[in-house]
């Protein structure tokens, strides 16, 4: 409707003087810009509404993957709360949870292995070392990497820690359950963000 | 007198000269023989997949160098396998030899009644199985072949998977092929089963979402927490696993590798696993049969 108005103004269907015409055109333009801005704000509000700790039908909390040309990420905390790095560290070495050290090395852990070998020893060498990982990735990118590493490395051996679909023959006790809970992802993430 | 002395000295020096030449020749000969022996022994070492890798029989194999699981086992584990008296799997082989001779069923037939000396009649079976079996129109593995003989010819109930008897007989039969390269047939009627086995191998599965290839093709030789990953070959099965504290079938290993990625395992002897067994033996074609192998 506004478009038609604008057009009619410029094509001269409404007979007016030229200064009057440009005034009408200018007003139309202003209205259009406000409309666009309003639309933008409202979608942003939509994005904001999708994050936080609301749950979806499949039982997982909602999150949105931001797909930019050079980086994919999840910007908002899955649990809506900050993580606890101490708990994150415990989850990373727990064989039943993150078990990150099955594949990744980290100097901080190698140091601790000297006094607590039963917890920190036997670090694997399948994946790259996590030393200085916070310098290589932004927080949102690391969050996505933990949620589903295949979004970044399609052929990777690294498990998707917060996904329940597109699997084959998951054994009954693990069916429809993500490996980690939202807060556990945030805990590990907060530990990784300290590895500068 | 002078002439005599000359003659004498000549004789001595002549003798010495011949002697030196002889010694040089002799040394040269020895060196030659030693070198030859070295070459031969190196050649022998080159073909086992335990100390030196083996080339796969089929050039389409995705692995260009085959390594037996032996190569990645711990030092003590290796020593245990090599020592026939210390190898805990050899007790099962001996038990299998007893069962081979044992007469059972109404007609009192033993395996030996029909197959006679296993070291002759069973020399090839361990390298060839699984094979296509027309009456059932599917692949059968050694365990299933043995049970067919038991049911059809001895008129006895089949041995269940992982029973001591079936493990012992399978180990005994396959041990007859020890040292011979695995060579399964994947052409002709076996072709579609090979394709199914291959698809199984590369399928991601379980909550951890990994295929066999993620561990055994892309990451062998690297450690996964406390485990050093091997190429995951079948050439040593049935295998004595220290963790199990007993001999176990290949399908038990499959179930373990499925469960460890939190995937639902298949049944022992299931078609899915027999096809996988065929595919895995093709990947390992060229490696020596090591039954009964010992692993960590």
């Amino acid at each position: 409707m506004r478009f038609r108005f604008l057009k009619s103004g410029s094509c001269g269907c409404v007979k007016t003087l030229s200064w009057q015409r440009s005034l009408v055109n200018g007003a139309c333009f202003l209205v259009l810009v406000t409309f666009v801005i309003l639309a933008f704000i409202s979608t942003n509000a939509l994005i904001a509404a999708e994050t936080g700790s609301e749950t979806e039908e499949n039982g997982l909390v909602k999150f949105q993957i931001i797909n930019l040309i050079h980086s994919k990420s999840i910007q908002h905390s899955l649990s809506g709360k900050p993580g606890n790095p101490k708990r994150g560290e415990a989850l990373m070495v727990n064989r039943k949870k993150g078990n990150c050290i099955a594949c990744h090395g980290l100097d901080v852990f190698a140091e601790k292995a000297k006094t607590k070998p039963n917890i920190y020893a036997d670090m694997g060498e399948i994946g790259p070392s996590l030393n200085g990982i916070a310098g290589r990735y932004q927080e949102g990118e690391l969050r996505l990497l933990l949620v589903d590493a295949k979004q970044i490395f399609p052929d990777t051996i690294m498990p998707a820690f917060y996904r329940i679909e597109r699997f084959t023959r998951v054994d009954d006790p693990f069916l429809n359950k993500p490996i980690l809970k939202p807060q556990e992802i945030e805990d590990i993430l907060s530990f990784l963000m300290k590895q500068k | 007198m002078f002439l005599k002395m000359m003659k004498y000295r000549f004789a001595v020096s002549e003798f010495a000269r011949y002697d030196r030449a002889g010694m040089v020749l002799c040394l040269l000969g020895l060196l030659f023989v030693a070198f030859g022996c070295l070459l031969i022994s190196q050649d022998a070492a080159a073909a086992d997949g335990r100390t030196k890798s083996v080339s796969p029989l089929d050039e389409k194999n995705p692995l260009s160098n085959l390594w037996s699981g032996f190569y990645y086992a711990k030092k003590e584990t290796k020593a245990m396998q090599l020592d026939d008296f210390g190898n805990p799997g050899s007790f099962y082989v001996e038990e299998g030899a007893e069962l081979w001779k044992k007469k059972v069923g109404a007609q009192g037939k033993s395996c030996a009644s029909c197959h006679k000396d296993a070291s002759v009649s069973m020399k090839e079976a361990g390298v060839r199985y699984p094979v296509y079996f027309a009456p059932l129109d599917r692949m059968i593995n050694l365990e299933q072949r043995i049970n067919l003989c038991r049911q059809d010819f001895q008129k006895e109930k089949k041995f269940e998977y992982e029973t001591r008897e079936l493990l012992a007989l399978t180990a005994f039969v396959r041990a007859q092929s020890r040292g011979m390269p695995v060579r399964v047939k994947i052409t002709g009627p076996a072709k579609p089963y090979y394709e199914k086995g291959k698809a199984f191998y590369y399928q991601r599965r379980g909550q951890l979402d990994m295929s066999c290839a993620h561990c055994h093709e892309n990451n062998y030789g690297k450690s996964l927490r406390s485990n050093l990953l091997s190429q995951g070959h079948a050439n040593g099965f049935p295998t004595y696993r220290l963790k199990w504290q007993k001999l176990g079938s290949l399908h038990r290993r499959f179930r373990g590798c499925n469960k460890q990625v939190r995937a639902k395992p298949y049944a022992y002897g299931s078609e899915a696993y027999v096809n996988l067994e065929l595919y895995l033996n093709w990947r390992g074609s060229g490696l020596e049969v090591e039954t009964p192998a010992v692993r960590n």
Side-chain angles (χ1 to χ4, degrees):
Chain A
M1 188 267 222
R2 280 186 188 83
F3 276 104
R4 215 187 314 135
F5 189 30
L6 188 72
K7 232 176 167 181
S8 66
S10 50
C11 80
C13 293
V14 182
K15 286 219 161 92
T16 39
L17 294 172
S18 67
W19 66 268
Q20 280 173 313
R21 204 185 301 153
S22 52
L23 196 74
V24 171
N25 267 350
C28 288
F29 188 67
L30 211 73
V31 169
L32 198 74
V33 167
T34 351
F35 184 73
V36 167
I37 290 175
L38 269 175
F40 187 75
I41 290 174
S42 66
T43 47
N44 255 8
L46 247 167
I47 295 172
E50 269 192 49
T51 54
S53 43
E54 262 180 80
T55 55
E56 242 160 340
E57 288 144 52
N58 66 13
L60 300 191
V61 301
K62 288 181 183 175
F63 54 81
Q64 194 186 26
I65 297 170
I66 308 290
N67 202 344
L68 304 178
I69 295 166
H70 295 293
S71 118
K72 270 179 153 186
S73 62
I74 300 171
Q75 290 298 329
H76 298 272
S77 163
L78 294 186
S79 61
K81 283 183 243 148
N84 173 335
K86 203 92 209 104
R87 277 204 306 259
E89 177 174 342
L91 289 162
M92 284 179 73
V93 298
N94 184 335
R95 283 168 202 267
K96 296 230 148 66
K97 287 293 191 173
N99 200 15
C100 317
I101 69 169
C103 296
H104 294 285
L106 182 62
D107 288 349
V108 190
F109 289 169
E111 196 53 44
K112 292 189 179 182
K114 289 178 188 160
T115 48
K116 293 179 185 161
N118 52 337
I119 302 176
Y120 294 97
D122 296 329
M123 264 182 281
E125 40 193 27
I126 312 269
S129 153
L130 296 179
N131 290 339
I133 192 69
R136 276 176 277 153
Y137 290 87
Q138 288 160 10
E139 188 182 55
E141 294 170 325
L142 280 180
R143 186 180 284 108
L144 175 59
L145 196 75
L146 290 177
V147 164
D148 185 1
K150 272 136 226 160
Q151 301 269 351
I152 297 169
F153 306 108
D155 302 322
T156 193
I157 186 176
M158 180 161 153
F161 290 96
Y162 197 69
R163 163 149 79 80
I164 56 171
E165 277 145 357
R166 288 171 281 126
F167 285 122
T168 305
R169 271 185 89 84
V170 175
D171 209 358
D172 295 338
F174 309 101
L175 209 58
N176 295 322
K177 291 188 190 116
I179 303 171
L180 296 173
K181 299 191 182 84
Q183 188 56 42
E184 292 174 332
I185 298 276
E186 296 304 324
D187 292 342
I188 292 178
L189 186 60
S190 66
F191 177 85
L192 293 181
M193 288 315 289
K194 284 174 56 177
Q195 309 310 313
K196 297 240 162 72
Chain B
M1 172 70 191
F2 177 64
L3 249 166
K4 241 188 189 167
M5 258 178 68
M6 277 298 285
K7 246 188 187 163
Y8 175 73
R9 277 180 58 177
F10 177 77
V12 169
S13 61
E14 197 74 331
F15 173 77
R17 208 180 303 144
Y18 279 130
D19 190 39
R20 229 177 282 147
M23 253 166 72
V24 167
L25 262 176
C26 187
L27 265 174
L28 265 173
L30 266 173
L31 248 158
F32 190 73
V33 168
F35 194 65
C37 283
L38 206 82
L39 271 182
I40 289 168
S41 69
Q42 269 194 342
D43 240 37
D48 67 1
R50 292 186 289 274
T51 49
K52 252 191 176 171
S53 66
V54 173
S55 299
L57 291 183
D58 192 337
E59 62 196 20
K60 289 201 293 291
N61 197 318
L63 303 164
S64 44
N65 296 299
L66 303 183
W67 286 105
S68 160
F70 179 93
Y71 180 71
Y72 303 97
K74 295 205 172 91
K75 217 167 119 201
E76 314 83 69
T77 317
K78 287 181 182 174
M80 211 183 264
Q81 174 173 326
L82 293 180
D83 172 10
D84 264 341
F85 301 101
N87 183 336
S90 50
F91 296 111
Y92 290 81
V93 175
E94 280 162 29
E95 261 182 66
E98 293 304 316
L99 286 169
W100 182 261
K101 290 182 292 193
K102 194 172 161 193
K103 294 190 166 65
V104 296
Q107 291 152 326
K109 282 212 167 89
S110 71
C111 316
S113 312
C114 295
H115 296 295
K116 310 281 186 275
D117 184 358
S119 70
V120 179
S121 62
M122 294 292 139
K123 203 150 178 55
E124 290 280 331
V127 310
R128 289 196 301 115
Y129 273 70
V131 298
Y132 177 74
F133 188 63
L136 295 176
D137 188 28
R138 60 176 173 88
M139 304 300 296
I140 55 165
N141 62 12
L142 261 189
E143 283 90 340
Q144 290 164 338
R145 175 66 255 184
I146 291 168
N147 265 332
L148 280 170
C149 279
R150 203 169 145 78
Q151 291 172 296
D152 294 353
F153 301 133
Q154 294 180 311
K155 310 286 180 210
E156 277 284 327
K157 256 180 48 201
K158 69 171 187 185
F159 294 125
E160 292 302 323
Y161 241 94
E162 296 316 282
T163 53
R164 216 176 154 90
E165 289 90 344
L166 188 56
L167 286 169
L169 265 175
T170 312
F172 170 72
V173 169
R174 205 170 188 216
Q176 309 305 318
S177 308
R178 227 178 160 179
M180 291 168 63
V182 173
R183 180 191 285 270
V184 289
K185 199 173 162 197
I186 59 161
T187 49
K191 185 92 202 302
Y193 303 97
Y194 160 85
E195 295 296 347
K196 282 184 198 167
K198 180 179 178 183
F200 191 110
Y201 191 89
Y202 286 103
Q203 172 68 54
R204 283 183 184 272
R205 59 189 73 233
Q207 192 195 35
L208 302 193
D209 207 21
M210 296 174 198
S211 74
C212 315
H214 280 112
C215 285
H216 295 301
E217 183 171 311
N218 306 341
N219 286 301
Y220 63 83
K222 293 186 192 164
S223 57
L224 177 75
R225 202 125 191 194
S226 50
N227 298 299
L228 184 58
L229 286 170
S230 76
Q231 294 181 338
H233 288 298
N235 61 316
F237 281 85
T239 287
Y240 189 94
R241 241 191 118 190
L242 298 172
K243 189 182 155 194
W244 294 335
Q245 285 291 301
K246 77 188 282 263
L247 203 71
S249 70
L250 182 61
H251 291 197
R252 179 165 183 195
R253 182 77 242 193
F254 287 169
R255 287 172 63 87
C257 279
N258 276 170
K259 283 192 264 189
Q260 112 183 290
V261 297
R262 302 180 181 173
K264 196 183 287 185
Y266 286 81
Y268 288 100
S270 58
E271 282 199 53
Y273 277 174
V274 177
N275 296 339
L276 180 62
E277 180 171 353
L278 173 70
Y279 177 69
L280 213 61
N281 273 297
W282 172 79
R283 287 176 74 94
S285 282
L287 284 174
E288 288 178 7
V289 173
E290 282 175 31
T291 309
V294 185
R295 299 286 185 263
N296 304 324

